[in-house]
Amino acid sequence: MQQISDKKLQRNQQPLRVSSYDDLKLFLKEQIGLTQTQQMELWTKYMPKIGYHNSNIVWNLFVENDCKSFAELRTVLRNFVSKNN
């Protein structure tokens, strides 16, 4: 029973770094229930500007800003893109 609780705790802890876009999608789906529509928005609207190989930047922004929804992440990404482009 304790092992199951430990595994759930580990799963709920946010990783320090993602290594791919697939990781990012998985973590966002687990954390905020990322939908296919939201994933496509992220891929087509924000990843080209941030860089397709920079999924870790998106994850770090998500964690640092304590996002609780895709709407919150979207706001953070808009601000990040406007400051960096």
XYZ file of all heavy atoms in Angstrom:
715
model
N 0.824 -1.194 0.000
C 0.000 0.000 0.000
C 0.867 1.258 0.000
O 0.579 2.190 -0.716
C -0.928 -0.041 1.219
C -1.957 1.034 1.176
S -3.097 0.733 -0.166
C -4.546 1.410 0.503
N 1.933 1.267 0.803
C 2.825 2.426 0.856
C 3.511 2.639 -0.492
O 3.713 3.766 -0.909
C 3.873 2.246 1.968
C 4.812 3.430 2.122
C 4.088 4.718 2.506
O 3.077 4.682 3.214
N 4.566 5.841 2.033
N 3.850 1.526 -1.178
C 4.505 1.650 -2.480
C 3.595 2.344 -3.489
O 4.045 3.144 -4.286
C 4.916 0.280 -3.006
C 6.073 -0.344 -2.247
C 6.372 -1.738 -2.748
O 5.528 -2.388 -3.347
N 7.587 -2.192 -2.490
N 2.315 2.032 -3.453
C 1.362 2.674 -4.364
C 1.289 4.166 -4.069
O 1.317 4.989 -4.978
C -0.026 2.005 -4.250
C 0.036 0.578 -4.774
C -1.070 2.806 -5.015
C -1.209 -0.241 -4.532
N 1.228 4.532 -2.808
C 1.185 5.950 -2.435
C 2.455 6.662 -2.873
O 2.407 7.794 -3.351
C 1.004 6.095 -0.926
O -0.239 5.582 -0.538
N 3.605 6.012 -2.716
C 4.877 6.608 -3.138
C 4.897 6.841 -4.644
O 5.365 7.869 -5.114
C 6.054 5.721 -2.736
C 6.298 5.710 -1.232
O 5.755 6.598 -0.533
O 7.019 4.807 -0.763
N 4.368 5.884 -5.411
C 4.341 6.034 -6.869
C 3.425 7.182 -7.275
O 3.746 7.951 -8.169
C 3.903 4.727 -7.535
C 4.976 3.666 -7.512
C 4.522 2.419 -8.193
C 5.612 1.360 -8.121
N 5.214 0.112 -8.747
N 2.270 7.301 -6.623
C 1.363 8.408 -6.931
C 2.013 9.736 -6.592
O 1.913 10.693 -7.342
C 0.052 8.261 -6.165
C -0.862 7.214 -6.720
C -2.161 7.170 -5.955
C -3.080 6.113 -6.525
N -4.335 6.030 -5.783
N 2.714 9.796 -5.478
C 3.403 11.016 -5.080
C 4.467 11.383 -6.114
O 4.570 12.518 -6.540
C 4.045 10.841 -3.702
C 4.797 12.045 -3.150
C 3.853 13.226 -2.966
C 5.459 11.699 -1.834
N 5.242 10.399 -6.549
C 6.280 10.658 -7.546
C 5.660 11.136 -8.846
O 6.165 12.032 -9.498
C 7.094 9.393 -7.802
C 8.008 9.017 -6.669
C 8.677 7.672 -6.876
O 8.374 6.955 -7.833
N 9.579 7.326 -5.983
N 4.550 10.554 -9.236
C 3.890 10.928 -10.475
C 3.348 12.349 -10.398
O 3.324 13.074 -11.376
C 2.743 9.949 -10.755
C 2.475 9.780 -12.213
C 1.423 8.738 -12.510
N 1.635 7.497 -11.807
C 0.664 6.819 -11.191
N -0.570 7.244 -11.187
N 0.918 5.687 -10.568
N 2.893 12.768 -9.227
C 2.324 14.096 -9.065
C 3.384 15.181 -8.915
O 3.092 16.352 -9.059
C 1.374 14.128 -7.868
C 0.111 13.350 -8.133
O -0.300 13.207 -9.272
N -0.493 12.838 -7.091
N 4.609 14.803 -8.609
C 5.670 15.797 -8.506
C 6.074 16.213 -9.908
O 6.211 15.389 -10.804
C 6.876 15.222 -7.771
C 6.607 14.983 -6.313
C 7.770 14.298 -5.616
O 8.663 13.764 -6.263
N 7.748 14.339 -4.316
N 6.276 17.503 -10.092
C 6.607 18.001 -11.415
C 8.083 17.761 -11.721
O 8.941 18.035 -10.878
C 6.282 19.488 -11.498
C 4.808 19.749 -11.312
C 4.484 21.206 -11.203
O 5.328 22.033 -10.928
N 3.233 21.533 -11.401
N 8.389 17.256 -12.902
C 9.784 17.020 -13.259
C 10.523 18.343 -13.418
O 9.933 19.374 -13.690
C 9.690 16.283 -14.593
C 8.357 16.645 -15.145
C 7.465 16.899 -13.956
N 11.822 18.280 -13.257
C 12.639 19.479 -13.365
C 12.858 19.887 -14.816
O 13.077 21.042 -15.098
C 13.988 19.243 -12.679
C 13.908 18.944 -11.189
C 15.289 18.623 -10.656
C 13.304 20.113 -10.446
N 12.804 18.933 -15.723
C 13.125 19.231 -17.115
C 12.411 18.253 -18.042
O 12.266 17.088 -17.714
C 14.632 19.100 -17.299
C 15.140 19.507 -18.646
C 16.673 19.380 -18.680
N 17.237 19.878 -19.905
C 17.158 19.292 -21.082
N 16.494 18.157 -21.212
N 17.726 19.820 -22.142
N 11.973 18.751 -19.175
C 11.436 17.872 -20.210
C 12.475 17.779 -21.313
O 13.229 18.717 -21.558
C 10.086 18.378 -20.778
C 9.025 18.403 -19.715
C 10.218 19.729 -21.416
N 12.517 16.643 -21.980
C 13.538 16.460 -23.009
C 12.971 16.451 -24.424
O 13.724 16.424 -25.390
C 14.313 15.167 -22.758
O 13.430 14.069 -22.750
N 11.634 16.492 -24.536
C 11.038 16.477 -25.874
C 9.640 17.093 -25.822
O 9.059 17.264 -24.742
C 10.931 15.044 -26.389
O 9.970 14.322 -25.650
N 9.118 17.388 -26.995
C 7.757 17.903 -27.074
C 6.760 16.856 -26.585
O 5.764 17.191 -25.952
C 7.440 18.339 -28.506
C 6.079 18.975 -28.623
C 5.847 20.250 -28.134
C 5.022 18.288 -29.199
C 4.590 20.837 -28.212
C 3.767 18.867 -29.287
C 3.557 20.137 -28.790
O 2.312 20.710 -28.862
N 7.044 15.582 -26.865
C 6.164 14.518 -26.382
C 6.100 14.511 -24.859
O 5.023 14.325 -24.283
C 6.619 13.153 -26.900
C 6.322 12.963 -28.381
O 5.389 13.613 -28.892
O 7.024 12.166 -29.025
N 7.247 14.714 -24.203
C 7.255 14.826 -22.737
C 6.386 15.991 -22.291
O 5.594 15.870 -21.362
C 8.674 15.063 -22.203
C 9.560 13.847 -22.275
O 9.058 12.728 -22.499
O 10.779 14.021 -22.099
N 6.557 17.122 -22.947
C 5.790 18.318 -22.592
C 4.296 18.049 -22.690
O 3.535 18.358 -21.773
C 6.184 19.490 -23.485
C 5.399 20.785 -23.278
C 5.653 21.366 -21.894
C 5.762 21.799 -24.358
N 3.862 17.455 -23.796
C 2.438 17.137 -23.977
C 1.946 16.225 -22.864
O 0.872 16.451 -22.296
C 2.196 16.454 -25.324
C 2.287 17.340 -26.523
C 1.797 16.642 -27.776
C 2.466 15.300 -27.995
N 2.107 14.689 -29.284
N 2.713 15.200 -22.557
C 2.322 14.253 -21.524
C 2.195 14.936 -20.167
O 1.190 14.771 -19.466
C 3.340 13.110 -21.440
C 3.113 12.086 -20.333
C 1.820 11.309 -20.584
C 4.286 11.148 -20.237
N 3.193 15.730 -19.800
C 3.167 16.408 -18.504
C 2.021 17.408 -18.419
O 1.359 17.522 -17.396
C 4.500 17.086 -18.211
C 5.649 16.124 -18.062
C 6.904 16.452 -18.535
C 5.480 14.888 -17.458
C 7.966 15.576 -18.402
C 6.530 13.999 -17.318
C 7.785 14.340 -17.798
N 1.781 18.151 -19.507
C 0.676 19.113 -19.497
C -0.671 18.400 -19.448
O -1.606 18.880 -18.804
C 0.755 20.043 -20.704
C 1.909 21.049 -20.692
C 1.929 21.847 -21.988
C 1.818 21.981 -19.488
N -0.770 17.265 -20.104
C -2.010 16.500 -20.045
C -2.258 16.019 -18.615
O -3.382 16.093 -18.117
C -1.946 15.314 -21.001
C -3.242 14.563 -21.104
C -3.199 13.510 -22.187
C -4.548 12.834 -22.294
N -4.575 11.829 -23.336
N -1.199 15.560 -17.950
C -1.332 15.093 -16.571
C -1.655 16.242 -15.613
O -2.448 16.085 -14.697
C -0.047 14.402 -16.110
C 0.188 13.064 -16.754
C 1.518 12.447 -16.371
O 2.312 13.097 -15.643
O 1.781 11.316 -16.798
N -1.033 17.389 -15.829
C -1.176 18.498 -14.881
C -2.450 19.314 -15.081
O -3.074 19.718 -14.111
C 0.042 19.439 -14.982
C 1.345 18.810 -14.543
C 1.348 18.438 -13.078
O 0.905 19.203 -12.235
N 1.844 17.264 -12.763
N -2.809 19.598 -16.339
C -3.954 20.480 -16.591
C -4.981 19.898 -17.560
O -5.895 20.591 -17.985
C -3.495 21.877 -17.095
C -2.684 21.753 -18.382
C -2.733 22.614 -16.013
C -2.364 23.081 -19.055
N -4.812 18.631 -17.933
C -5.770 18.015 -18.844
C -5.708 18.590 -20.245
O -6.747 18.819 -20.875
N -4.505 18.842 -20.738
C -4.314 19.411 -22.075
C -5.112 18.626 -23.112
O -5.019 17.405 -23.186
C -2.821 19.371 -22.445
C -2.424 20.031 -23.758
C -2.472 21.543 -23.621
C -1.028 19.590 -24.179
N -5.909 19.337 -23.908
C -6.724 18.698 -24.943
C -5.987 18.716 -26.280
O -4.980 19.417 -26.446
C -8.062 19.436 -25.116
O -7.797 20.753 -25.650
C -8.828 19.538 -23.809
N -6.503 17.976 -27.245
C -5.914 17.941 -28.582
C -5.946 19.338 -29.216
O -4.974 19.762 -29.833
C -6.663 16.937 -29.458
C -6.143 16.852 -30.879
C -4.756 16.234 -30.970
O -4.362 15.458 -30.111
N -4.021 16.572 -32.012
N -7.028 20.057 -29.045
C -7.145 21.405 -29.603
C -6.097 22.336 -28.988
O -5.450 23.110 -29.697
C -8.560 21.963 -29.361
O -9.512 21.074 -29.956
C -8.718 23.352 -29.939
N -5.934 22.246 -27.683
C -4.934 23.072 -27.005
C -3.523 22.687 -27.423
O -2.667 23.543 -27.628
C -5.085 22.937 -25.486
C -6.372 23.525 -24.971
C -6.689 23.087 -23.559
O -6.225 22.049 -23.085
N -7.492 23.891 -22.866
N -3.290 21.392 -27.581
C -1.980 20.917 -28.031
C -1.667 21.462 -29.412
O -0.540 21.897 -29.672
C -1.956 19.380 -28.022
C -0.625 18.784 -28.394
C -0.503 18.479 -29.884
O -1.436 18.020 -30.524
N 0.644 18.748 -30.440
N -2.650 21.490 -30.291
C -2.431 22.024 -31.646
C -2.167 23.523 -31.599
O -1.341 24.039 -32.357
C -3.631 21.709 -32.547
C -3.753 20.242 -32.897
S -2.253 19.552 -33.652
C -2.146 20.531 -35.131
N -2.844 24.238 -30.717
C -2.582 25.668 -30.555
C -1.146 25.897 -30.072
O -0.434 26.755 -30.592
C -3.567 26.284 -29.566
C -3.341 27.767 -29.344
C -4.311 28.386 -28.356
O -5.369 27.793 -28.068
O -4.003 29.486 -27.865
N -0.744 25.111 -29.101
C 0.623 25.214 -28.587
C 1.636 24.947 -29.691
O 2.603 25.704 -29.864
C 0.806 24.215 -27.438
C 2.171 24.132 -26.772
C 2.544 25.455 -26.130
C 2.173 23.008 -25.739
N 1.406 23.896 -30.486
C 2.342 23.494 -31.534
C 2.399 24.507 -32.675
O 3.480 24.820 -33.174
C 1.963 22.117 -32.073
C 2.886 21.622 -33.145
C 2.623 21.575 -34.479
C 4.214 21.122 -32.974
N 3.707 21.072 -35.150
C 4.704 20.787 -34.251
C 5.039 20.938 -31.874
C 5.968 20.264 -34.457
C 6.316 20.415 -32.076
C 6.768 20.092 -33.349
N 1.248 25.027 -33.090
C 1.225 25.895 -34.272
C 1.443 27.368 -33.965
O 1.935 28.111 -34.811
C -0.107 25.741 -35.036
O -1.183 26.103 -34.179
C -0.292 24.328 -35.543
N 1.068 27.789 -32.775
C 1.129 29.217 -32.458
C 2.363 29.611 -31.650
O 2.951 30.665 -31.892
C -0.141 29.600 -31.694
C -0.405 31.072 -31.644
C -1.799 31.324 -31.117
C -2.168 32.780 -31.276
N -3.541 33.042 -30.862
N 2.747 28.769 -30.698
C 3.811 29.167 -29.777
C 5.143 28.460 -30.025
O 6.193 29.083 -29.923
C 3.363 28.960 -28.326
C 2.146 29.787 -28.013
C 0.894 29.210 -27.899
C 2.240 31.173 -27.898
C -0.227 29.973 -27.653
C 1.123 31.944 -27.657
C -0.109 31.342 -27.534
O -1.218 32.112 -27.304
N 5.096 27.182 -30.359
C 6.358 26.458 -30.542
C 7.202 26.994 -31.704
O 8.421 27.050 -31.576
C 6.109 24.948 -30.696
C 5.570 24.281 -29.433
S 6.502 24.623 -27.911
C 8.052 23.821 -28.271
N 6.602 27.442 -32.813
C 7.445 28.003 -33.879
C 8.220 29.243 -33.405
O 9.350 29.471 -33.823
C 6.458 28.382 -34.980
C 5.257 27.545 -34.731
C 5.199 27.360 -33.232
N 7.614 30.020 -32.523
C 8.257 31.246 -32.045
C 9.261 30.965 -30.934
O 10.268 31.664 -30.812
C 7.193 32.229 -31.555
C 6.288 32.690 -32.679
C 5.164 33.545 -32.184
C 4.261 33.922 -33.361
N 3.086 34.646 -32.932
N 8.982 29.959 -30.118
C 9.868 29.616 -29.003
C 10.983 28.681 -29.474
O 12.103 28.741 -28.975
C 9.060 28.983 -27.849
C 8.093 30.029 -27.283
C 9.966 28.439 -26.757
C 7.063 29.475 -26.329
N 10.658 27.855 -30.449
C 11.604 26.882 -30.984
C 11.097 25.480 -30.712
O 10.798 25.146 -29.564
N 11.012 24.677 -31.765
C 10.447 23.335 -31.634
C 11.241 22.452 -30.677
O 10.703 21.517 -30.098
C 10.333 22.658 -32.994
C 9.274 23.290 -33.871
C 9.619 24.053 -34.976
C 7.925 23.117 -33.573
C 8.637 24.635 -35.768
C 6.938 23.686 -34.365
C 7.307 24.447 -35.467
O 6.332 25.014 -36.237
N 12.513 22.741 -30.500
C 13.352 21.934 -29.611
C 13.484 22.570 -28.228
O 14.333 22.157 -27.440
C 14.735 21.718 -30.235
C 14.667 20.964 -31.524
N 14.350 19.625 -31.580
C 14.841 21.361 -32.806
C 14.339 19.224 -32.841
N 14.635 20.270 -33.610
N 12.655 23.544 -27.925
C 12.726 24.257 -26.642
C 11.518 23.979 -25.751
O 11.019 24.863 -25.056
C 12.863 25.762 -26.879
C 14.191 26.107 -27.506
O 15.192 25.454 -27.254
N 14.205 27.137 -28.325
N 11.067 22.744 -25.759
C 9.921 22.369 -24.923
C 10.202 22.618 -23.455
O 9.284 22.925 -22.682
C 9.578 20.890 -25.133
O 9.188 20.664 -26.461
N 11.466 22.500 -23.067
C 11.821 22.732 -21.670
C 11.542 24.175 -21.255
O 11.203 24.433 -20.098
C 13.278 22.354 -21.393
C 14.259 23.121 -22.258
O 14.020 23.329 -23.444
N 15.359 23.534 -21.681
N 11.641 25.127 -22.174
C 11.324 26.524 -21.861
C 9.841 26.647 -21.518
O 9.471 27.303 -20.542
C 11.696 27.455 -23.033
C 13.220 27.517 -23.181
C 11.111 28.859 -22.835
C 13.694 28.288 -24.393
N 8.992 26.012 -22.310
C 7.549 26.062 -22.061
C 7.240 25.438 -20.699
O 6.479 26.001 -19.911
C 6.764 25.349 -23.187
C 5.280 25.303 -22.866
C 7.011 26.039 -24.522
N 7.856 24.293 -20.416
C 7.612 23.634 -19.129
C 8.082 24.512 -17.973
O 7.386 24.650 -16.969
C 8.286 22.273 -19.088
C 8.036 21.581 -17.791
C 8.928 21.358 -16.787
C 6.791 21.064 -17.326
N 8.321 20.718 -15.737
C 7.000 20.528 -16.045
C 5.517 20.998 -17.869
C 5.979 19.940 -15.302
C 4.501 20.410 -17.120
C 4.744 19.896 -15.865
N 9.259 25.107 -18.117
C 9.779 25.974 -17.054
C 8.854 27.169 -16.817
O 8.616 27.553 -15.669
C 11.192 26.449 -17.373
C 12.208 25.330 -17.287
O 11.972 24.298 -16.669
N 13.351 25.521 -17.934
N 8.331 27.744 -17.886
C 7.381 28.849 -17.745
C 6.118 28.378 -17.028
O 5.579 29.081 -16.171
C 7.024 29.435 -19.118
C 8.122 30.223 -19.813
C 7.743 30.492 -21.270
C 8.383 31.530 -19.075
N 5.650 27.198 -17.381
C 4.468 26.619 -16.748
C 4.678 26.472 -15.243
O 3.843 26.886 -14.438
C 4.169 25.251 -17.389
C 3.032 24.511 -16.764
C 1.728 24.807 -17.088
C 3.277 23.501 -15.835
C 0.677 24.118 -16.506
C 2.230 22.806 -15.255
C 0.933 23.116 -15.591
N 5.819 25.900 -14.872
C 6.114 25.646 -13.453
C 6.369 26.950 -12.707
O 5.808 27.185 -11.633
C 7.315 24.688 -13.319
C 7.771 24.575 -11.873
C 6.971 23.310 -13.884
N 7.213 27.819 -13.270
C 7.587 29.073 -12.598
C 6.381 29.979 -12.352
O 6.346 30.715 -11.369
C 8.624 29.824 -13.422
C 9.984 29.162 -13.430
C 10.927 29.731 -14.477
O 10.583 30.749 -15.127
O 12.007 29.155 -14.658
N 5.409 29.925 -13.258
C 4.228 30.785 -13.130
C 3.052 30.066 -12.482
O 1.950 30.612 -12.425
C 3.836 31.338 -14.504
C 4.854 32.333 -15.000
O 4.813 33.493 -14.613
N 5.785 31.885 -15.834
N 3.295 28.846 -12.013
C 2.292 28.067 -11.286
C 0.957 28.025 -12.037
O -0.107 28.266 -11.464
C 2.108 28.651 -9.881
C 1.373 27.702 -8.950
O 1.474 26.476 -9.149
O 0.682 28.192 -8.037
N 1.034 27.721 -13.328
C -0.172 27.680 -14.159
C -1.084 26.544 -13.719
O -0.632 25.436 -13.453
C 0.201 27.499 -15.624
S 1.146 28.867 -16.305
N -2.362 26.843 -13.662
C -3.372 25.863 -13.261
C -4.286 25.469 -14.420
O -5.140 24.606 -14.270
C -4.235 26.416 -12.126
C -3.455 26.826 -10.902
C -2.898 25.632 -10.179
C -2.229 26.085 -8.891
N -1.119 25.235 -8.521
N -4.106 26.127 -15.571
C -4.949 25.841 -16.732
C -4.197 26.241 -18.002
O -3.191 26.945 -17.947
C -6.254 26.637 -16.653
O -5.978 28.020 -16.786
N -4.746 25.797 -19.130
C -4.130 26.186 -20.396
C -4.309 27.684 -20.638
O -3.433 28.324 -21.207
C -4.708 25.381 -21.564
C -4.006 25.678 -22.857
C -2.741 25.181 -23.101
C -4.610 26.468 -23.820
C -2.073 25.463 -24.295
C -3.958 26.757 -25.011
C -2.681 26.247 -25.244
N -5.414 28.230 -20.180
C -5.640 29.675 -20.337
C -4.528 30.464 -19.641
O -4.027 31.451 -20.187
C -7.003 30.067 -19.791
N -4.133 30.025 -18.453
C -3.038 30.702 -17.744
C -1.720 30.522 -18.490
O -0.950 31.472 -18.624
C -2.916 30.159 -16.320
C -4.056 30.551 -15.424
C -3.940 29.974 -14.027
O -2.892 29.396 -13.675
O -4.921 30.105 -13.263
N -1.468 29.307 -18.980
C -0.245 29.058 -19.748
C -0.238 29.905 -21.013
O 0.795 30.469 -21.381
C -0.117 27.577 -20.088
C 1.091 27.194 -20.939
C 2.409 27.571 -20.254
C 1.060 25.707 -21.272
N -1.374 30.015 -21.685
C -1.478 30.815 -22.902
C -1.069 32.272 -22.625
O -0.315 32.869 -23.395
C -2.904 30.766 -23.450
C -3.096 31.558 -24.729
C -4.553 31.628 -25.140
N -5.082 30.323 -25.502
C -6.156 29.772 -24.947
N -6.812 30.392 -23.971
N -6.582 28.603 -25.357
N -1.541 32.824 -21.533
C -1.186 34.201 -21.163
C 0.317 34.330 -20.930
O 0.950 35.272 -21.410
C -1.959 34.630 -19.904
O -3.361 34.556 -20.187
C -1.595 36.033 -19.477
N 0.886 33.375 -20.224
C 2.329 33.376 -19.961
C 3.108 33.278 -21.274
O 4.085 34.004 -21.487
C 2.705 32.219 -19.007
C 4.212 32.027 -18.928
C 2.118 32.459 -17.620
N 2.667 32.397 -22.162
C 3.356 32.226 -23.448
C 3.237 33.489 -24.307
O 4.206 33.882 -24.961
C 2.798 31.010 -24.194
C 3.112 29.656 -23.556
C 2.369 28.540 -24.299
C 4.594 29.387 -23.522
N 2.080 34.110 -24.332
C 1.909 35.366 -25.090
C 2.881 36.421 -24.592
O 3.524 37.110 -25.379
C 0.475 35.882 -24.965
C -0.520 35.166 -25.802
C -1.896 35.774 -25.623
N -2.884 35.003 -26.338
C -4.158 34.976 -26.044
N -4.632 35.692 -25.041
N -5.004 34.235 -26.737
N 2.975 36.568 -23.285
C 3.896 37.541 -22.715
C 5.344 37.204 -23.046
O 6.131 38.090 -23.388
C 3.706 37.638 -21.190
C 2.383 38.251 -20.810
O 1.769 38.980 -21.574
N 1.926 37.932 -19.615
N 5.698 35.940 -22.947
C 7.059 35.512 -23.239
C 7.417 35.781 -24.698
O 8.488 36.332 -24.997
C 7.211 34.005 -22.935
C 8.582 33.477 -23.233
C 9.612 33.653 -22.312
C 8.853 32.806 -24.414
C 10.891 33.155 -22.571
C 10.111 32.318 -24.692
C 11.145 32.493 -23.769
N 6.510 35.424 -25.607
C 6.760 35.620 -27.031
C 6.859 37.100 -27.373
O 7.743 37.524 -28.123
C 5.668 34.910 -27.877
C 5.717 35.349 -29.323
C 5.826 33.408 -27.755
N 5.999 37.910 -26.780
C 6.025 39.351 -27.088
C 7.304 40.009 -26.570
O 7.817 40.947 -27.193
C 4.792 40.062 -26.535
O 4.825 40.086 -25.129
N 7.849 39.522 -25.473
C 9.086 40.079 -24.936
C 10.314 39.598 -25.701
O 11.327 40.307 -25.743
C 9.258 39.667 -23.465
C 8.311 40.348 -22.529
C 8.536 39.864 -21.110
C 7.502 40.427 -20.174
N 7.635 39.886 -18.808
N 10.243 38.419 -26.285
C 11.415 37.815 -26.916
C 11.395 37.865 -28.435
O 12.272 37.306 -29.071
C 11.575 36.369 -26.422
C 11.928 36.337 -24.958
O 12.994 36.756 -24.569
N 11.012 35.856 -24.141
N 10.399 38.477 -29.013
C 10.362 38.580 -30.496
C 10.225 39.994 -30.933
O 9.904 40.901 -30.346
C 9.217 37.749 -31.066
C 9.558 36.266 -31.086
O 10.712 35.891 -31.151
N 8.541 35.441 -31.032
